[in-house]
Amino acid sequence: MTSHSAGIGLQIAIESSWYCVITMNSSFCLCRLGGPGAPFYFCSIPLHYHLFMDTARHYIFLGPPGSGKGTQAKELANILGIPHVSTGEIFRDNIARGTELGKKVDELLKAGRLVSDDVTNAVVSNRLKQTDAARGVILDGFPRSLPQAEYLATLSVDVLVVLIELPDDEAVQRISGRRTCSQCGAIYHIEYKPASKSGVCDTCGGELKQRNDETEEVIRGRLSIYHKQTEPLIKFYTSSGQLIRVNGLPPIYEVTAQMWALLKL
């Protein structure tokens, strides 16, 4: 690590692509999003957030269907320049490549069985050891159960959980109101993004339909499963002080701003 002057009262400690700028009363993280030559950004952070320089921080997003957790997870991954790791994508990639793991997962899925915690835990553990995870990852689809969360805790990794809260009725309204073009795949919403002509795609004139998995009955079922699976995780991470709560009702950009403030980024 080297040190360079950055003006009166500022010292920049250079550590890879992360920088720490310390003043008399506060500290900042100066991060480069990308490789050499990429722009730098200042983020005001408390001193205990200097762990970004030396240790990985992994983020877990929880939230009901329609809460926008996927959107916010990808936004955070882009801003921090860390991988967005989806266990589902890892499984699909291994199946496509015909690996031993892929064959095992494919057999389980074809038999209508869930991938066991042992297999999923091993996949995640291996992924976190890869070089691009050195500064942390966004975990998508893991943990889904209390045993998985307890296993993650045994890895002695730093974890922060973002819970995006949304009332069930709002989740139902957001998802059941979607309409998809049967020809070009464009997505509309009967309230938030209606087509100029009801039932007709503005782009290609195709018929707009509601997907079978976006009916109110199906969504209510998904929400019931979500609450059953997630409540133990919420209690687990609340008790360990690793969970922050974000109101998912406002527009996307307001939810993002809320999250930044709570994460102190």
Side-chain angles (χ1 to χ4, degrees):
M1 180 181 291
T2 58
S3 180
H4 299 274
S5 174
I8 298 176
L10 296 181
Q11 290 291 317
I12 303 180
I14 303 177
E15 180 78 33
S16 184
S17 61
W18 290 88
Y19 294 68
C20 172
V21 182
I22 304 174
T23 65
M24 291 294 291
N25 301 311
S26 61
S27 62
F28 302 89
C29 175
L30 178 61
C31 57
R32 168 178 279 157
L33 305 184
F40 292 96
Y41 298 85
F42 272 106
C43 300
S44 177
I45 55 174
L47 288 174
H48 68 270
Y49 270 76
H50 290 172
L51 55 89
F52 277 127
M53 293 175 57
D54 301 315
T55 59
R57 162 160 284 183
H58 305 300
Y59 295 86
I60 296 168
F61 278 76
L62 301 177
S67 63
K69 64 181 180 296
T71 298
Q72 297 299 337
K74 289 177 181 177
E75 178 71 12
L76 184 62
N78 289 335
I79 292 298
L80 296 182
I82 59 178
H84 179 250
V85 175
S86 164
T87 52
E89 288 179 4
I90 293 174
F91 290 149
R92 286 189 291 272
D93 173 64
N94 277 271
I95 291 173
R97 291 189 290 113
T99 66
E100 287 303 313
L101 171 64
K103 292 175 183 177
K104 183 183 293 187
V105 171
D106 197 33
E107 287 176 5
L108 289 170
L109 295 179
K110 285 180 177 177
R113 296 164 58 192
L114 295 175
V115 179
S116 68
D117 282 345
D118 287 345
V119 172
T120 305
N121 290 344
V123 166
V124 171
S125 176
N126 181 65
R127 183 64 182 85
L128 296 183
K129 293 175 184 175
Q130 295 180 22
T131 55
D132 66 342
R135 289 191 289 110
V137 302
I138 306 294
L139 287 169
D140 184 349
F142 185 91
R144 288 187 182 275
S145 65
L146 188 56
Q148 289 181 358
E150 291 171 338
Y151 171 78
L152 186 60
T154 68
L155 299 182
S156 299
V157 294
D158 187 50
V159 170
L160 187 61
V161 181
V162 179
L163 171 63
I164 301 182
E165 299 179 298
L166 191 72
D168 284 3
D169 287 343
E170 176 65 18
V172 170
Q173 182 180 15
R174 288 183 179 185
I175 300 174
S176 65
R178 293 174 186 165
R179 297 294 182 270
T180 304
C181 177
S182 57
Q183 292 186 25
C184 71
I187 299 176
Y188 296 82
H189 194 283
I190 57 176
E191 182 177 348
Y192 307 128
K193 187 186 175 183
S196 300
K197 183 178 180 181
S198 180
V200 180
C201 178
D202 292 344
T203 303
C204 70
E207 182 183 2
L208 300 182
K209 295 182 177 181
Q210 184 183 48
R211 284 173 27 175
N212 292 334
D213 61 350
E214 293 182 341
T215 63
E216 179 171 351
E217 181 181 2
V218 171
I219 299 163
R220 295 281 183 192
R222 288 171 61 193
L223 287 168
S224 177
I225 293 171
Y226 163 77
H227 289 304
K228 184 178 180 180
Q229 288 182 335
T230 309
E231 284 304 320
L233 295 178
I234 293 173
K235 291 179 181 177
F236 179 81
Y237 285 117
T238 298
S239 64
S240 65
Q242 294 171 284
L243 182 138
I244 64 168
R245 295 172 182 266
V246 178
N247 179 7
L249 274 172
I252 291 174
Y253 69 92
E254 290 186 21
V255 175
T256 302
Q258 234 189 110
M259 184 172 68
W260 284 165
L262 289 170
L263 292 175
K264 298 180 174 66
L265 294 176

